[in-house]
Amino acid sequence: MEKSEIKKKTGIEVVNALIKDGMKIGLGTGSTMLHAIRWIKERIKQGDFTNTLFVPTSLQTELECYNSDIPFRSLTDPEIDGRLDLTIDGADEIDPGWNLIKGGGGALVVEKITGSCSSHYAIIADHLKLVNYLGETFPIPVEVFPFALIPVSKALESLGARYTVRMAEKIAGPVITKQGNILLDVSFKESFSPGEMEKTINAIPGVVDNGIFTLKVTDLFIGYPNGKVEHLSK
């Protein structure tokens, strides 16, 4: 199967397996999530999920919900009240302990908040996202308050990190997040403890959050080129 077909099948599988009517669902960001959202649209057209509410984690996801006539709310909406039954999201890397690197789409702060508010946290990805250790194939996104760019950069260098400022592709200058911050893509020569590194980076004044996710993942849906979608759960 082509990569887009793997993503589509994985998105369909997670919706069919985990979403029940009446739930409050967080919807992550990225190309695989778009397939899941489009399948939710089809299920709604079939008469399913009539009492289900959805919380998008980015403008991309919000617009996809809007264009698909999917009812969405924010975490502060009284109907949501800051708690979700399930969040579905993608990942840039998944290690053997189900720790993640996320933030390739620039929505890591809202994604981490949303995942932390959820009773169940499901990750969907293709098999290429499985790695031996975090940072093996993908840098760690770090969201930084612009005023603190230089001191944060120096603090990261003191930890042995290399970094680049993520630049926008169709506008001059860096990528600006929904929160008005900039993103650094950070890498290390050596492997690291995900929990310790997540805390160490977040302790740097000026760092808003980083893309190491040590939240408890309850379900993994991994797609393979032969069409198989493996569902693992804890």
Side-chain angles (χ1 to χ4, degrees):
M1 296 178 70
E2 296 291 332
K3 193 170 184 178
S4 62
E5 295 175 310
I6 297 172
K7 292 180 178 183
K8 181 177 180 179
K9 187 165 185 181
T10 307
I12 289 172
E13 288 284 342
V14 71
V15 171
N16 290 345
L18 298 185
I19 297 183
K20 309 299 180 187
D21 194 28
M23 295 176 74
K24 297 184 289 185
I25 307 291
L27 296 175
T29 300
S31 56
T32 307
M33 278 303 305
L34 292 179
H35 289 291
I37 294 167
R38 289 164 188 164
W39 183 242
I40 290 169
K41 173 185 177 180
E42 294 303 314
R43 291 287 303 272
I44 290 174
K45 286 168 63 175
Q46 295 169 19
D48 298 326
F49 308 150
T50 56
N51 297 305
T52 307
L53 295 176
F54 300 91
V55 175
T57 57
S58 67
L59 182 57
Q60 178 201 44
T61 304
E62 185 175 314
L63 289 173
E64 190 67 30
C65 287
Y66 178 81
N67 292 329
S68 300
D69 295 322
I70 294 174
F72 61 90
R73 303 287 190 275
S74 71
L75 279 176
T76 57
D77 190 290
E79 291 184 90
I80 301 297
D81 197 28
R83 295 303 307 169
L84 298 168
D85 299 300
L86 166 71
T87 288
I88 301 168
D89 209 344
D92 299 303
E93 285 189 341
I94 306 166
D95 78 4
W98 295 14
N99 300 300
L100 317 170
I101 284 184
K102 291 178 47 55
L108 63 97
V109 172
V110 178
E111 289 175 335
K112 192 174 285 189
I113 293 169
T114 304
S116 70
C117 294
S118 302
S119 298
H120 293 84
Y121 190 36
I123 297 298
I124 55 177
D126 65 73
H127 69 292
L128 296 175
K129 303 299 174 63
L130 300 174
V131 296
N132 296 311
Y133 56 89
L134 294 189
E136 182 178 3
T137 63
F138 202 87
I140 305 163
V142 179
E143 185 161 338
V144 178
F145 186 63
F147 179 78
L149 172 60
I150 300 305
V152 168
S153 300
K154 291 183 180 299
L156 289 169
E157 288 176 336
S158 73
L159 296 174
R162 295 165 294 177
Y163 73 91
T164 58
V165 178
R166 190 181 301 182
M167 304 302 288
E169 293 186 1
K170 295 185 178 181
I171 188 171
V175 169
I176 304 298
T177 70
K178 189 176 182 180
Q179 291 72 236
N181 301 312
I182 58 178
L183 290 168
L184 302 183
D185 288 315
V186 176
S187 59
F188 293 89
K189 292 182 180 179
E190 307 280 335
S191 60
F192 52 83
S193 165
E196 291 179 9
M197 186 61 74
E198 182 180 23
K199 292 177 182 177
T200 297
I201 293 175
N202 279 353
I204 300 171
V207 169
V208 180
D209 211 332
N210 72 82
I212 301 172
F213 279 52
T214 57
L215 299 174
K216 181 182 178 181
V217 175
T218 56
D219 295 85
L220 279 183
F221 288 77
I222 305 298
Y224 293 88
N226 63 3
K228 176 185 176 182
V229 176
E230 186 177 23
H231 178 193
L232 305 170
S233 60
K234 288 185 178 179

